[in-house]
Amino acid sequence: MSGTAVVTGAAGFVGSHLVDNLLKEGFSVIGLDSLKTGQRTNLDEALTHDNFRFEEVDICSKDLLKMLKDPIDIVFHLAAISSVKLSTENPIEVNRVNVDGTLNMLEVARRRNAGRFVFSSSAAVYGNPEVLPISEGTSLNPLSPYAASKIAAEMYCRSYGHLHGITPTIFRYFNVFGPRQEYSEYSGVISIFINQGLKNLDITVDGDGSQTRSFIYVDDVVKATILGGRKNGSNELVLNLSGTDSISILELAKRIKEYIPESTSTIVHRNAREGDVKDSIGSMERTSAVLGFSPAVHFNTGLESTVSWYRSRLS
Ligand code: UD2
């Protein structure tokens, strides 16, 4: 199946890679992005493609239906404020974008007869469960407004599945990394540490750095997300997308320093982050059974490519 796909957050980190891959697979793609954090340059390649259309718009906009007049086959909804830290500072804005925005996109999907809705949720919904690796049946426990917003959005997706037959595929992304991840105090730790290393700034570890994460490379995330969109059937799916090994944040800081041997950065510790999850690794059992997918990119290989990408942009 190909057809028309709408991608929200199209100029963002994961969204722009998804757009490139959907175009390669023969989809016509309409990309939506407010460009508040997304970068138009992430779409340089896509914008040369005849089957790509870009709209600069907020996903909460009431004009979406006017912009999207034709039937849609599938919506990939990635646009969100993805920062736990920002959600503790500005929960109302995070709710607007992550919850109201999702509901608005579900309405677009319903009015344009989209058969499928793929939602990029987050492992943050699990909080700090006792059993690792975390399976999808684990109870939900929001430790931050960000996590709460993703749970609310998941519930709206499921309700539209029941009411309107828009079968949702909900991916709970664990920690995604790779080229095009923005560098700011609100972005992912790998982009922050690499940029600090390349700029000879202190590498800022929150707390003692013993918290662990399982990182998954963006190419793997995109591959699985498309497989989830292509999956036929009327059952809603909730699937983890996690790396298969975990690493502590302190160990990560040291490893990144090794990949940037010329760096004079030192590792410093700050206060632990409010609302932070302690350990996070997902079980990929269900994802692999349902989609026949396992992550293919080794963590060190992904890290090396990511360091090279930031290096080339800074030089
Ligand atoms: C990430 C995602 C979030 C969600 C979640 C799922 C980002 C920005 N956030 O949240 O959207 O999907 O994963 O598991 O990708 N840290 C430092 N120093 C820094 C920055 C971070 O020590 O300068 C620590 C931070 O305190 C945390 C860990 O690194 O313990 C990971 O932080 P993150 O912001 O990259 O990701 P996380 O897990 O909060």
Side-chain angles (χ1 to χ4, degrees), residues 243-269:
T244 43
D245 298 304
S246 59
I247 182 169
S248 77
I249 296 303
L250 183 58
E251 187 52 40
L252 175 72
K254 291 180 185 159
R255 181 127 6 135
I256 287 176
K257 266 198 70 153
E258 279 166 26
Y259 279 101
I260 311 173
E262 75 282 13
S263 175
T264 57
S265 297
T266 49
I267 295 174
V268 298
H269 291 264

Short mmCIF file of all heavy atoms in Angstrom, two decimals, residues 243-269:
data_model
loop_
_atom_site.label_atom_id
_atom_site.label_comp_id
_atom_site.label_asym_id
_atom_site.label_seq_id
_atom_site.Cartn_x
_atom_site.Cartn_y
_atom_site.Cartn_z
N GLY A 243 15.70 0.66 22.17
CA GLY A 243 16.97 -0.01 21.91
C GLY A 243 17.01 -1.30 22.73
O GLY A 243 16.20 -1.50 23.64
N THR A 244 17.97 -2.17 22.41
CA THR A 244 17.98 -3.46 23.09
C THR A 244 18.97 -3.51 24.26
O THR A 244 18.97 -4.47 25.02
CB THR A 244 18.30 -4.59 22.08
OG1 THR A 244 19.36 -4.14 21.23
CG2 THR A 244 17.10 -4.92 21.24
N ASP A 245 19.81 -2.49 24.41
CA ASP A 245 20.73 -2.44 25.56
C ASP A 245 20.53 -1.11 26.26
O ASP A 245 20.10 -0.14 25.64
CB ASP A 245 22.19 -2.47 25.09
CG ASP A 245 22.50 -3.74 24.37
OD1 ASP A 245 22.29 -4.81 24.96
OD2 ASP A 245 22.91 -3.67 23.19
N SER A 246 20.90 -1.07 27.54
CA SER A 246 20.81 0.25 28.17
C SER A 246 22.19 0.71 28.61
O SER A 246 23.13 -0.09 28.74
CB SER A 246 19.82 0.25 29.32
OG SER A 246 20.21 -0.67 30.28
N ILE A 247 22.31 2.00 28.82
CA ILE A 247 23.58 2.59 29.21
C ILE A 247 23.28 3.70 30.22
O ILE A 247 22.24 4.38 30.12
CB ILE A 247 24.32 3.15 27.95
CG1 ILE A 247 25.69 3.74 28.32
CG2 ILE A 247 23.50 4.16 27.19
CD1 ILE A 247 26.58 4.07 27.11
N SER A 248 24.17 3.88 31.21
CA SER A 248 23.94 4.96 32.16
C SER A 248 24.35 6.28 31.50
O SER A 248 25.17 6.30 30.57
CB SER A 248 24.74 4.73 33.45
OG SER A 248 26.10 5.07 33.24
N ILE A 249 23.80 7.35 32.01
CA ILE A 249 24.07 8.66 31.42
C ILE A 249 25.54 9.05 31.65
O ILE A 249 26.18 9.66 30.78
CB ILE A 249 23.08 9.71 31.98
CG1 ILE A 249 21.64 9.35 31.56
CG2 ILE A 249 23.43 11.12 31.54
CD1 ILE A 249 21.40 9.24 30.06
N LEU A 250 26.10 8.65 32.79
CA LEU A 250 27.52 8.94 33.02
C LEU A 250 28.41 8.17 32.03
O LEU A 250 29.34 8.72 31.44
CB LEU A 250 27.90 8.60 34.47
CG LEU A 250 29.34 8.92 34.87
CD1 LEU A 250 29.66 10.40 34.67
CD2 LEU A 250 29.60 8.54 36.34
N GLU A 251 28.08 6.91 31.83
CA GLU A 251 28.83 6.08 30.87
C GLU A 251 28.71 6.67 29.46
O GLU A 251 29.67 6.71 28.69
CB GLU A 251 28.25 4.65 30.92
CG GLU A 251 28.98 3.60 30.11
CD GLU A 251 30.48 3.53 30.40
OE1 GLU A 251 30.85 3.65 31.57
OE2 GLU A 251 31.26 3.39 29.42
N LEU A 252 27.51 7.16 29.16
CA LEU A 252 27.28 7.78 27.85
C LEU A 252 28.19 9.01 27.67
O LEU A 252 28.81 9.18 26.61
CB LEU A 252 25.81 8.21 27.74
CG LEU A 252 25.43 9.00 26.50
CD1 LEU A 252 25.42 8.09 25.27
CD2 LEU A 252 24.05 9.65 26.66
N ALA A 253 28.28 9.83 28.72
CA ALA A 253 29.13 11.03 28.65
C ALA A 253 30.58 10.61 28.36
O ALA A 253 31.26 11.21 27.52
CB ALA A 253 29.03 11.81 29.96
N LYS A 254 31.04 9.56 29.04
CA LYS A 254 32.43 9.11 28.83
C LYS A 254 32.61 8.57 27.41
O LYS A 254 33.61 8.84 26.75
CB LYS A 254 32.77 8.01 29.85
CG LYS A 254 32.87 8.53 31.28
CD LYS A 254 33.21 7.38 32.21
CE LYS A 254 33.19 7.82 33.67
NZ LYS A 254 33.02 6.69 34.60
N ARG A 255 31.62 7.78 26.95
CA ARG A 255 31.74 7.20 25.61
C ARG A 255 31.79 8.31 24.55
O ARG A 255 32.56 8.25 23.60
CB ARG A 255 30.56 6.25 25.35
CG ARG A 255 30.62 5.60 24.01
CD ARG A 255 30.54 4.09 23.96
NE ARG A 255 30.26 3.35 25.13
CZ ARG A 255 29.39 2.34 25.20
NH1 ARG A 255 28.69 1.99 24.14
NH2 ARG A 255 29.24 1.66 26.31
N ILE A 256 30.95 9.33 24.72
CA ILE A 256 30.93 10.41 23.72
C ILE A 256 32.28 11.15 23.73
O ILE A 256 32.80 11.50 22.67
CB ILE A 256 29.72 11.34 23.97
CG1 ILE A 256 28.45 10.60 23.53
CG2 ILE A 256 29.87 12.68 23.23
CD1 ILE A 256 27.15 11.30 23.77
N LYS A 257 32.85 11.31 24.89
CA LYS A 257 34.19 11.95 24.95
C LYS A 257 35.22 11.13 24.16
O LYS A 257 36.07 11.67 23.48
CB LYS A 257 34.64 12.07 26.42
CG LYS A 257 34.29 13.42 27.02
CD LYS A 257 35.09 13.70 28.27
CE LYS A 257 36.54 13.94 27.89
NZ LYS A 257 37.29 14.76 28.77
N GLU A 258 35.09 9.80 24.26
CA GLU A 258 36.02 8.94 23.50
C GLU A 258 35.88 9.13 21.99
O GLU A 258 36.84 9.03 21.25
CB GLU A 258 35.74 7.46 23.80
CG GLU A 258 36.34 6.97 25.10
CD GLU A 258 35.74 5.63 25.51
OE1 GLU A 258 35.27 4.87 24.62
OE2 GLU A 258 35.71 5.37 26.73
N TYR A 259 34.64 9.40 21.56
CA TYR A 259 34.41 9.59 20.12
C TYR A 259 34.85 10.96 19.63
O TYR A 259 34.88 11.22 18.44
CB TYR A 259 32.93 9.36 19.77
CG TYR A 259 32.59 7.90 19.65
CD1 TYR A 259 31.96 7.22 20.68
CD2 TYR A 259 32.91 7.18 18.50
CE1 TYR A 259 31.66 5.88 20.57
CE2 TYR A 259 32.62 5.83 18.38
CZ TYR A 259 31.99 5.19 19.42
OH TYR A 259 31.71 3.86 19.30
N ILE A 260 35.17 11.85 20.59
CA ILE A 260 35.65 13.19 20.21
C ILE A 260 36.99 13.38 20.92
O ILE A 260 37.11 14.16 21.87
CB ILE A 260 34.63 14.28 20.65
CG1 ILE A 260 33.21 13.90 20.20
CG2 ILE A 260 35.02 15.64 20.07
CD1 ILE A 260 32.11 14.81 20.71
N PRO A 261 38.05 12.68 20.48
CA PRO A 261 39.30 12.63 21.23
C PRO A 261 39.96 14.00 21.41
O PRO A 261 40.67 14.22 22.39
CB PRO A 261 40.19 11.69 20.41
CG PRO A 261 39.49 11.42 19.15
CD PRO A 261 38.07 11.87 19.26
N GLU A 262 39.69 14.92 20.49
CA GLU A 262 40.33 16.24 20.57
C GLU A 262 39.64 17.15 21.59
O GLU A 262 40.15 18.23 21.92
CB GLU A 262 40.34 16.91 19.18
CG GLU A 262 39.00 17.49 18.68
CD GLU A 262 38.01 16.45 18.13
OE1 GLU A 262 38.22 15.25 18.34
OE2 GLU A 262 37.02 16.86 17.50
N SER A 263 38.51 16.73 22.13
CA SER A 263 37.72 17.60 23.01
C SER A 263 38.42 17.85 24.34
O SER A 263 39.00 16.94 24.94
CB SER A 263 36.36 16.97 23.26
OG SER A 263 35.64 17.73 24.19
N THR A 264 38.36 19.10 24.81
CA THR A 264 38.91 19.41 26.13
C THR A 264 37.80 19.50 27.18
O THR A 264 38.02 19.98 28.29
CB THR A 264 39.69 20.75 26.09
OG1 THR A 264 38.78 21.77 25.63
CG2 THR A 264 40.89 20.69 25.17
N SER A 265 36.59 19.08 26.81
CA SER A 265 35.46 19.16 27.75
C SER A 265 35.70 18.30 28.97
O SER A 265 36.33 17.25 28.89
CB SER A 265 34.19 18.61 27.07
OG SER A 265 33.83 19.38 25.98
N THR A 266 35.15 18.75 30.11
CA THR A 266 35.15 17.87 31.28
C THR A 266 33.71 17.55 31.66
O THR A 266 32.79 18.32 31.36
CB THR A 266 35.86 18.51 32.50
OG1 THR A 266 35.33 19.82 32.64
CG2 THR A 266 37.35 18.59 32.33
N ILE A 267 33.56 16.42 32.32
CA ILE A 267 32.22 16.01 32.74
C ILE A 267 31.91 16.66 34.09
O ILE A 267 32.69 16.52 35.03
CB ILE A 267 32.15 14.47 32.84
CG1 ILE A 267 32.35 13.86 31.44
CG2 ILE A 267 30.84 14.01 33.47
CD1 ILE A 267 32.45 12.34 31.41
N VAL A 268 30.78 17.39 34.15
CA VAL A 268 30.39 18.01 35.42
C VAL A 268 28.99 17.51 35.81
O VAL A 268 28.23 17.08 34.95
CB VAL A 268 30.36 19.57 35.32
CG1 VAL A 268 31.73 20.13 34.99
CG2 VAL A 268 29.33 20.03 34.30
N HIS A 269 28.71 17.55 37.09
CA HIS A 269 27.39 17.08 37.56
C HIS A 269 26.54 18.27 37.99
O HIS A 269 27.03 19.18 38.65
CB HIS A 269 27.56 16.11 38.73
CG HIS A 269 28.17 14.80 38.30
ND1 HIS A 269 27.40 13.70 38.01
CD2 HIS A 269 29.45 14.44 38.08
CE1 HIS A 269 28.20 12.71 37.63
NE2 HIS A 269 29.45 13.14 37.67
#
